[in-house]
């Protein structure tokens, strides 16, 4: 240790210090070294305590401890080990000064067979020299260190309330001797660090309880909100994510019939399946309570993507679950929604997914996307519904009529009635702006009643000139499932005085396929009135051929999406052609909707499609304009 010249005791004589003086000088030097060491230790301890105050997680505590110990004038090698389980091993959490190979060798240390392990077992500071000397507990990492002449160090145990936590290993590359004062410092450091680690474990335990479900160990509802919270803790506001909300279909029955322990087992297994589906990402799967789970799909950008994921999850849950020696079929329904398009916050996202789930439970197959039209609680919807009720009574609805043209002959066979809302503030609204709202509530009943009556009245007027002219009216499934529907329709046809043979009702394929069995009976009651029935938007709703043959339908209306590209050799051409053939084989009429150009009209005529409808022939128009076709006896002014 260097001595400042000013403090060096001076002698008066030329012969140098006398023996007493020399002794005093030695003592002084020693006292100064001790003081210096104490000062250095004190400054390291103060720094460490300050650092630990700011840290709550173990990894950070380890890092800070290592950094603080490196503040010594001759920085030691430092390794911070934590006990993974009571029976070991010790895991290296942070370290400094080691070679790659030493880190690798010392990544974990066993309780038996390492100096650190001995420090933990015996709860005392174990000098590295001790294990080297007696040859027991020499771990390969010690031999590796020895190969570069590093042989001196201390393994300092960490413990709290008698529970061992790990060790801090301080190793001196220059092989210096450790003074008792430093050993006391290390004891002090160990106590401070142990307290911080144990507090952090406590906190982590409490936090784990607060954010996890005790049964399945999955993150819970608060965890979902925390995960999707604004940064820095959660998701960035503009980041895309989807949420699939799941509800088990038969959980309650199973729980009641087989007991809660079986129910619990089942939930645990469902949780495991969901986690497996997310490639083991436990933090993406949440149990929200009861039999409700949620799966977060980070990065999801479209509802189509989420739909695929939801269906894959449902398929995974369809496999029977083995519980108590039984294979139980649970099944589930799924509702999903997108962040940030459909919701801005986690609470909104969950609510949207819940609205979709509600819808999903009504349809077999059980997956549904959130759509504002489904949502009974958006302010626009509530306002719109109350306005629409008034609009129907106050005569704000109008009908537009679009002709259906017989493609082989080029004349108008009939019209489709399409409703519009002449909104006092917003102008003329297309049906897509309000029909879906109405369809989700009972308002669709007065709406349809108005449309049916108005369309039939118009038909009756036109039938005076063209008695076989037909009129198609769209119905929604909610109308059809209503028991009084056939009666209402029959009443309207009778009162207006039209022949049911020239009336056609259209129902979308998706609506029918949502519940084909119920549809079959209800539709039968409508066709028994003598009116015809058409499946609208055919090709979009996955009809099975078996249902198609059994349903009492007369006409298929091919969805306009198939008419996009009818070039020779195109897939669409093949689909449309075979649909026309299928319809004819089943003795059904076939209409192509959405014809926008002459080529398409011709292609359809050539494949013997019966009727065509689309902007090429005419747009939907008010009765006065559409009436020009009737005035001309049905002949149209564009060539097929
Ligand atoms: P839809 O029954 O399939 O009606 C055909 C739709 O295709 C109409 O849209 C029509 O304007 C449009 N369209 C016809 N030709 C072409 C074309 O060449 N190109 C393009 N791009 N589109 C064409 P609109 O009037 O907006 O009606 C949309 C849907 O709303 C209807 O589809 C129907 O499902 C529903 N809807 C309309 N009116 C009523 C109604 O009174 N009651 C019920 N329940 N639903 C209705
Ligand atoms: Mg239609
Ligand atoms: Mg259609």
């Amino acid at each position: 240790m260097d001595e400042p010249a000013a403090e060096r005791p001076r002698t008066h004589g030329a012969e140098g210090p006398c023996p007493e003086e020399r002794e005093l000088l030695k003592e002084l030097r020693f006292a100064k070294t001790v003081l210096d060491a104490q000062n250095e230790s004190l400054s390291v301890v103060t720094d460490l305590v300050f650092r630990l105050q700011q840290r709550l997680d173990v990894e950070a505590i380890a890092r800070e401890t290592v950094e603080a110990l490196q503040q010594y004038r001759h920085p030691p090698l430092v390794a911070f080990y934590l006990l993974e389980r009571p029976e070991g091993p010790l895991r290296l959490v942070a370290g400094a000064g080691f070679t790659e190979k030493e880190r690798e060798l010392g990544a974990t240390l066993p309780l038996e067979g390492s100096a650190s392990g001995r420090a933990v077992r015996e709860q005392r500071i174990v000098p590295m020299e001790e294990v080297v000397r007696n040859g027991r507990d020499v771990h390969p990492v010690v031999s590796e260190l020895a190969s570069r002449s590093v042989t001196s160090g201390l393994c300092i145990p960490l413990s709290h309330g008698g529970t061992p936590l790990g060790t801090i290993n301080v190793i001196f590359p220059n092989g210096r001797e450790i003074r008792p004062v430093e050993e006391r410092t290390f004891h002090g450091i160990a106590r401070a660090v142990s307290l911080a680690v144990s507090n952090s474990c406590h906190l982590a335990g409490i936090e784990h309880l607060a954010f996890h479900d005790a049964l399945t160990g999955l993150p819970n509802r608060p965890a979902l909100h925390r995960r999707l919270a604004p940064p820095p803790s959660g998701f960035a506001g503009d980041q895309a994510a989807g949420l699939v909300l799941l509800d088990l279909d038969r959980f309650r029955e199973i729980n009641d019939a087989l007991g809660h322990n079986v129910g619990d087992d089942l939930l645990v297994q469902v949780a495991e399946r969901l986690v497996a589906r997310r490639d083991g990402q436990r933090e993406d799967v949440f149990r929200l309570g009861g039999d409700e789970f949620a799966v977060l799909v980070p990065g999801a950008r479209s509802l189509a993507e989420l739909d695929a994921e939801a269906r894959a999850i449902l398929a995974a849950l369809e496999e029977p679950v083995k519980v108590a020696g039984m294979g139980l079929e649970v099944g589930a329904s799924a509702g999903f929604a997108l962040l940030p398009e459909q919701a801005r916050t986690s609470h909104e996202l969950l609510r949207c997914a819940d609205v979709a789930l509600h819808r999903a439970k009504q349809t077999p197959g059980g997956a549904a996307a959130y759509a504002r039209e489904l949502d009974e609680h958006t302010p626009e919807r509530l306002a719109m519904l109350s306005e629409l009720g008034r609009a129907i009574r106050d005569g704000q609805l109008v009908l537009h009529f679009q002709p259906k043209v017989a493609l082989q002959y080029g004349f108008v066979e009939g019209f489709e009635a399409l409703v519009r809302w002449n909104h006092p503030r917003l102008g003329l609204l297309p049906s897509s702006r309000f029909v879906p709202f109405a369809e989700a509530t009972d308002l669709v009943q007065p709406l349809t009643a108005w449309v049916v009556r108005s369309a039939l009245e118009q038909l009756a007027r036109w039938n005076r000139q063209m008695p076989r002219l037909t009129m198609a009216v769209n119905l929604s499934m909610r109308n059809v499932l209503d028991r009084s529907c056939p009666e209402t329709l029959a009443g309207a046809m009778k009162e207006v005085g039209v022949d049911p043979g020239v009336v056609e009702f259209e129902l979308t394929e998706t609506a029918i396929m949502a519940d084909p069995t119920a549809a079959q009976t209800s539709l039968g009651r409508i066709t028994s009135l003598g009116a015809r029935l058409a499946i609208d938007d055919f090709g979009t709703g996955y009809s099975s051929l078996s249902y198609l043959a059994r349903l009492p339908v007369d006409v298929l209306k091919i969805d306009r999406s198939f008419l996009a590209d009818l070039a020779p050799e195109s897939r669409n051409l093949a689909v449309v052609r075979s649909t026309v053939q299928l319809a004819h084989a089943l003795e059904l009429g076939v209409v192509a909707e959405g014809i926008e150009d002459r080529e398409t009209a011709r292609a359809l005529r050539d494949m013997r499609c019966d009727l065509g409808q689309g902007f090429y022939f005419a747009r939907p128009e008010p009765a006065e304009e559409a009436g020009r076709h009737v005035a001309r006896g049905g002949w149209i002014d564009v060539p097929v």
Side-chain angles (χ1 to χ4, degrees):
M1 194 130 301
D2 294 338
E3 301 292 302
E7 289 176 17
R8 205 168 289 160
R10 291 257 150 236
T11 55
H12 303 291
E15 63 279 3
C18 63
E20 293 83 39
E21 275 181 325
R22 234 178 276 131
E23 197 47 42
L24 201 63
L25 213 61
K26 216 171 113 193
E27 269 177 36
L28 261 170
R29 275 206 198 108
F30 180 73
K32 179 153 189 344
T33 336
V34 171
L35 246 148
D36 277 349
Q38 258 172 348
N39 268 344
E40 196 182 16
S41 292
L42 205 68
S43 110
V44 168
V45 172
T46 319
D47 177 51
L48 176 67
V49 170
F50 178 73
R51 285 164 181 265
L52 292 183
Q53 274 171 0
Q54 345 244 326
R55 296 296 170 194
L56 290 176
D57 66 301
V58 204
E59 313 267 327
I61 290 171
R63 250 186 349 261
E64 296 289 359
T65 306
V66 170
E67 275 176 31
L69 288 171
Q70 293 247 298
Q71 304 296 315
Y72 274 108
R73 199 144 46 97
H74 300 289
L77 283 66
V78 185
F80 194 111
Y81 282 95
L82 280 179
L83 204 51
E84 292 233 297
R85 288 178 298 278
E87 69 279 13
L90 288 155
R91 179 172 62 89
L92 180 66
V93 187
F98 296 96
T99 65
E100 191 77 15
K101 184 155 185 213
E102 286 157 2
R103 270 178 176 276
E104 224 167 84
L105 284 172
T108 56
L109 297 175
L111 277 195
E112 301 279 345
S114 72
S116 308
R118 190 187 290 180
V120 169
R121 288 190 329 257
E122 297 175 9
Q123 282 299 298
R124 65 177 175 91
I125 293 185
V126 173
M128 228 167 105
E129 294 87 335
E130 182 185 311
V131 297
V132 175
R133 205 181 324 116
N134 66 21
R136 281 198 301 119
D137 286 339
V138 182
H139 189 267
V141 73
V142 170
S143 321
E144 181 65 22
L145 282 164
S147 75
R148 58 161 167 143
S149 314
V150 178
T151 51
S152 153
L154 299 177
C155 299
I156 308 154
L158 300 174
S159 72
H160 188 76
T163 309
L165 301 172
T167 64
I168 304 173
N169 300 351
V170 185
I171 297 159
F172 303 100
N174 52 0
R176 82 176 162 94
E177 181 192 334
I178 291 129
R179 301 193 179 85
V181 53
E182 283 175 317
E183 210 170 308
R184 274 204 305 281
T185 308
F186 289 137
H187 272 297
I189 288 176
R191 265 202 303 278
V193 173
S194 296
L195 188 66
V197 169
S198 120
N199 279 347
S200 144
C201 293
H202 238 84
L203 213 75
I206 293 170
E207 189 169 284
H208 190 88
L209 277 181
F211 289 103
H212 288 81
D213 162 50
L215 176 66
T216 60
L218 290 179
N220 59 9
R221 190 182 293 267
L224 176 65
H225 292 305
R226 185 173 64 162
R227 176 89 183 275
L228 294 175
S233 58
F235 249 60
D238 52 353
Q239 234 169 316
L243 189 75
V244 182
L245 194 62
L246 297 156
D247 191 276
L248 303 186
D249 286 338
R250 278 175 287 281
F251 180 70
R252 180 157 300 203
E253 296 148 48
I254 293 172
N255 214 29
D256 289 350
L258 302 174
H260 288 212
N261 52 337
V262 173
D264 283 358
D265 270 5
L266 182 81
L267 291 172
V268 170
Q269 293 206 37
V270 165
E272 290 313 320
R273 275 201 198 170
L274 296 177
V275 170
R277 173 74 221 140
R278 296 301 301 160
D279 294 330
Q281 298 282 89
R282 288 190 86 81
E283 69 269 23
D284 287 348
V285 183
F286 302 80
R287 181 176 173 220
L288 302 183
D291 59 345
E292 205 176 45
F293 292 86
V295 177
L296 187 71
V297 188
R301 295 207 171 269
S302 70
L303 286 174
E305 196 181 321
L306 276 184
D307 186 61
E309 181 60 29
R311 285 180 198 281
I313 293 173
L314 292 183
L317 294 182
E318 248 155 44
E319 289 281 298
V321 177
K322 275 231 157 16
V323 181
M326 293 169 276
L328 298 177
E329 290 192 16
V330 239
S333 307
F336 51 90
L338 262 188
L339 198 74
E341 273 101 312
Q342 299 186 311
R344 298 295 311 170
T345 67
S346 60
H347 292 275
E348 252 177 70
L349 183 67
L350 207 54
R351 197 187 67 78
C352 290
D354 203 35
V355 168
L357 179 61
H358 203 72
R359 174 39 107 42
K361 283 187 185 163
Q362 297 162 7
T363 51
Y370 173 77
R372 278 189 90 79
E373 304 86 83
L374 300 177
D375 200 332
E376 301 192 2
H377 301 292
T378 59
E380 302 105 86
R381 183 186 145 104
L382 291 174
M384 177 79 93
L385 284 177
S386 76
E387 272 187 286
L388 184 57
R390 222 172 319 123
I392 300 171
R393 290 190 300 274
D394 295 355
Q396 289 175 14
L397 297 186
V398 285
L399 285 184
H400 283 189
F401 299 91
Q402 189 179 31
K404 287 187 288 178
V405 175
L407 293 173
Q408 313 305 321
Y409 313 103
F411 70 83
V412 175
E413 190 256 5
F415 288 91
E416 176 175 6
L418 296 156
V419 70
R420 308 283 181 263
W421 178 359
N422 207 346
H423 194 281
R425 250 180 320 112
L426 304 171
L428 195 68
L429 298 181
S431 38
S432 59
R433 288 282 294 277
F434 61 96
V435 171
F437 286 87
E439 281 180 334
T441 68
D442 269 337
L443 210 57
V444 75
Q445 312 297 4
L447 175 95
T448 304
W450 180 88
V451 172
V452 168
R453 177 162 283 262
S454 312
L456 293 183
E457 282 169 355
Q458 187 55 56
L459 178 65
R461 283 194 280 280
W462 283 336
N463 274 161
R464 280 184 225 131
Q465 286 157 277
M466 291 182 65
R468 297 317 301 160
L469 189 80
T470 64
M471 180 66 74
V473 177
N474 295 284
L475 298 182
S476 89
M477 202 56 201
R478 211 180 176 103
N479 296 133
V480 173
L481 292 177
D482 182 37
R483 296 207 131 259
S484 61
C485 179
E487 218 175 295
T488 316
L489 299 178
M493 290 189 284
K494 198 159 169 226
E495 281 163 38
V496 176
V498 293
D499 170 10
V502 289
V503 179
E504 194 167 294
F505 293 107
E506 296 187 2
L507 210 79
T508 62
E509 186 185 26
T510 341
I512 297 175
M513 285 308 141
D515 192 350
T517 331
Q520 198 176 344
T521 354
S522 312
L523 293 178
R525 277 188 257 134
I526 292 174
T527 45
S528 68
L529 305 172
R532 284 189 301 176
L533 198 79
I535 300 189
D536 205 349
D537 304 346
F538 186 77
T540 58
Y542 316 104
S543 289
S544 81
L545 278 177
S546 68
Y547 277 116
L548 202 57
R550 258 185 284 156
L551 284 172
V553 290
D554 307 281
V555 176
L556 296 187
K557 286 189 84 172
I558 302 174
D559 189 67
R560 70 163 177 270
S561 56
F562 295 102
L563 270 53
D565 166 30
L566 287 190
E569 314 294 314
S570 70
R571 282 181 78 91
N572 275 354
L573 187 81
V575 170
V576 173
R577 176 176 289 132
S578 49
T579 308
V580 172
Q581 286 167 356
L582 169 75
H584 288 164
L586 293 170
E587 296 183 335
L588 305 177
V590 55
V591 185
E593 53 180 1
I595 300 176
E596 294 186 349
D597 49 53
R598 188 167 179 201
E599 293 75 67
T600 310
R602 284 188 140 181
L604 287 157
R605 183 197 64 189
D606 293 347
M607 52 176 99
R608 312 213 64 76
C609 177
D610 305 314
L611 298 175
Q613 182 181 347
F615 296 169
Y616 174 63
F617 299 117
R619 287 185 175 257
E621 292 165 315
E624 306 79 65
E625 280 122 74
R628 70 178 182 278
H629 302 293
V630 182
R632 268 195 235 125
W635 296 107
I636 50 161
D637 39 16
V638 287
V640 182

